[in-house]
Amino acid sequence: MRTFRYKLQNHKRNRHIQKDIYIMAEVYNHFVALTRRHYKIYGKCEGYKRVSYTRMSAHLTKLKKLPKYSHWHTPYSWALQESLKRLDYGYNRFFKKLAKRPPQFKKYRTYKSMSFAGKYCPIEVLDKVDGCPTAKVRLNGRWYKLWYSRRIQGTVKRATVKKDIVGDWYITFTTDDEGLDPEAKTGIAAGFDFGLKTFLTCSDGTKYQSPEFYRKSIRALQKAHRAFSRKVKGSHQRYKAWKHLARQYRKVTNQRADHHWKLALELVRKFDVCFLEDLNLDGMKRLWGRKVSDLAFGEFTQKIEWQATKRVKEVKAIGRFEATTPICHFCGQRTDIELKVREWICHNCNTTHDRDVNAAINIAQVGASTCSVGNVSLAIASYS
């Protein structure tokens, strides 16, 4: 399966999508109330059938025939059924004790997406506008234009329309394309050490810095926060200030994601196997707070794992409690060093170590000895 995400062009006809989303939320909340009444009266007794998706779908068909719910015919029936599948999935997770609470009522403003089967979303490619190719897609009987930035590969099986926090609409197509783009094997494996001074240190001595987009944008964010707090609650100017603030945060998020994707692709193309640390990110956030969130180690790990899977490479994680920083990778002697010390000398073999490079080399050696990685050579920095 492979997904392709596009942005819908801003147009006044997009208000129809919002109206369809409101209907989806109305259907969802209606069946939340219905299931609550059912379980309040009957509970989970064996003599009564549970409120499954099949029963809710059959009841939805009956309700659509009533004049009171005639407006439920506007969205495609498959989209309405998708909201019932979400509700049924939520109750299944709750009864299996995978969720803390059953599905709750949702505010109309917080219900922001709807899904369709691929056959209900035909796409037609149009001419270029300002050098960017465009296309149009049919949703609930209406055509909407989108920025067709790349060609869809495979047969569309599912389409999901979603609104972000700013109010822009995006559509995601899920296809049957495998999405595997195998890269040429390099036969090299490397270890990587995450850090606060340096975002990523490779065992071959290469250091990758993080732009720290949040730190660079902190002044603009503070200014937007102050402008938002000055506006009168409930006023239109306050709503505009909130949208401006949301755009600032979205910009930081997009910049960080773009940097992570490009760095992950570079590393996967360079190495066949990447060894990473299993970090306690929650504990790190309690110690260093905003700095750790700005670097977003967890998000980068997810992205590099996806890039490795897509290109038939491997990403392995070593144990969280492996001592990699205070151990000399030459002789194995342990030396207790403080966090502020960036370089240290091994008292056994008198080797001068860079703290992060030594940790990355140890990560690579531990990973190669504990994980099955095949016939690869380790990328180790040379010491004079």
Side-chain angles (χ1 to χ4, degrees):
M1 306 298 285
R2 194 172 181 181
T3 59
F4 299 85
R5 186 168 180 258
Y6 306 95
K7 182 180 179 181
L8 297 181
Q9 296 183 16
N10 292 327
H11 196 275
K12 61 182 181 181
R13 74 167 61 93
N14 292 358
R15 70 183 186 276
H16 296 296
I17 302 179
Q18 186 63 69
K19 292 180 180 179
D20 296 339
I21 293 288
Y22 286 159
I23 295 176
M24 305 288 292
E26 182 181 351
V27 172
Y28 183 90
N29 290 333
H30 179 89
F31 280 90
V32 168
L34 187 67
T35 51
R36 283 188 177 186
R37 288 196 301 268
H38 180 277
Y39 287 115
K40 185 176 181 180
I41 297 174
Y42 302 111
K44 292 182 63 179
C45 303
E46 296 181 359
Y48 297 94
K49 297 181 180 179
R50 62 180 293 270
V51 186
S52 62
Y53 161 72
T54 305
R55 296 185 65 192
M56 288 189 291
S57 179
H59 188 64
L60 174 65
T61 304
K62 297 178 181 179
L63 290 177
K64 290 169 66 175
K65 297 179 181 179
L66 301 177
K68 180 180 179 181
Y69 304 105
S70 60
H71 60 287
W72 286 6
H73 287 278
T74 304
Y76 290 151
S77 60
W78 201 89
L80 295 177
Q81 292 169 3
E82 182 65 22
S83 65
L84 300 183
K85 289 181 180 179
R86 296 181 185 181
L87 181 60
D88 183 62
Y89 177 74
Y91 274 107
N92 287 336
R93 284 180 52 84
F94 173 69
F95 290 136
K96 292 179 181 179
K97 297 184 179 180
L98 299 176
K100 294 183 179 179
R101 58 184 65 86
Q104 306 293 310
F105 292 107
K106 291 188 177 181
K107 295 181 180 180
Y108 282 40
R109 288 186 177 181
T110 59
Y111 203 96
K112 299 179 180 179
S113 66
M114 59 180 173
S115 299
F116 307 88
K119 62 181 180 180
Y120 295 124
C121 300
I123 305 171
E124 294 183 7
V125 180
L126 305 176
D127 296 331
K128 292 186 177 181
V129 177
D130 296 334
C132 182
T134 61
K136 63 179 182 178
V137 60
R138 188 178 178 88
L139 305 173
N140 293 332
R142 293 184 178 89
W143 289 96
Y144 301 91
K145 290 184 179 181
L146 55 91
W147 299 108
Y148 197 64
S149 56
R150 56 175 177 164
R151 185 174 59 87
I152 295 178
Q153 300 177 9
T155 304
V156 177
K157 297 297 183 180
R158 182 187 180 92
T160 301
V161 181
K162 189 173 183 180
K163 183 175 67 172
D164 66 359
I165 190 173
V166 178
D168 295 332
W169 293 96
Y170 294 86
I171 184 168
T172 303
F173 297 101
T174 303
T175 68
D176 57 359
D177 187 67
E178 294 182 358
L180 294 178
D181 300 326
E183 294 282 346
K185 297 293 184 178
T186 61
I188 305 175
F192 297 91
D193 176 64
F194 289 117
L196 298 179
K197 296 285 186 180
T198 303
F199 175 69
L200 204 63
T201 303
C202 182
S203 57
D204 64 0
T206 307
K207 295 188 177 183
Y208 302 91
Q209 302 292 338
S210 174
E212 298 185 28
F213 297 103
Y214 184 86
R215 181 181 62 82
K216 291 183 177 180
S217 304
I218 190 66
R219 291 186 179 274
L221 290 171
Q222 290 174 346
K223 183 178 179 180
H225 270 288
R226 288 193 295 266
F228 172 70
S229 62
R230 285 195 298 264
K231 301 300 185 292
V232 179
K233 290 185 178 181
S235 64
H236 181 64
Q237 292 300 321
R238 183 178 176 89
Y239 176 72
K240 290 176 61 177
W242 172 80
K243 296 255 301 191
H244 174 68
L245 177 61
R247 287 191 186 94
Q248 294 293 327
Y249 275 107
R250 186 180 65 175
K251 179 182 178 181
V252 174
T253 303
N254 292 341
Q255 287 176 327
R256 185 186 297 120
D258 180 70
H259 170 256
H260 283 173
W261 280 118
K262 290 178 179 178
L263 179 58
L265 179 59
E266 177 184 348
L267 297 180
V268 167
R269 286 176 172 172
K270 188 176 181 181
F271 303 104
D272 286 351
V273 184
C274 299
F275 299 106
L276 305 177
E277 297 176 281
D278 181 18
L279 298 174
N280 181 12
L281 296 178
D282 291 335
M284 294 176 64
K285 288 180 182 179
R286 286 192 291 269
L287 289 175
W288 296 289
R290 190 173 64 195
K291 176 80 171 181
V292 179
S293 299
D294 194 9
L295 296 175
F297 297 134
E299 294 180 9
F300 175 76
T301 302
Q302 293 177 353
K303 290 178 176 60
I304 193 173
E305 288 177 351
W306 164 247
Q307 291 284 17
T309 303
K310 183 179 178 181
R311 287 164 173 78
V312 199
K313 300 295 183 73
E314 293 183 85
V315 174
K316 303 287 186 178
I318 68 170
R320 178 174 297 183
F321 300 103
E322 292 285 348
T324 57
T325 300
I327 294 181
C328 173
H329 70 271
F330 271 120
C331 62
Q333 178 68 29
R334 183 186 181 101
T335 304
D336 294 332
I337 54 177
E338 297 181 357
L339 183 62
K340 63 181 180 180
V341 178
R342 309 314 303 173
E343 292 186 358
W344 55 282
I345 300 176
C346 176
H347 300 293
N348 186 39
C349 60
N350 294 325
T351 303
T352 302
H353 292 292
D354 180 282
R355 178 192 185 96
D356 297 331
V357 176
N358 177 71
I361 294 175
N362 284 327
I363 291 172
Q365 293 175 346
V366 171
S369 61
T370 57
C371 302
S372 177
V373 295
N375 187 18
V376 294
S377 60
L378 296 181
I380 304 296
S382 59
Y383 276 69
S384 57

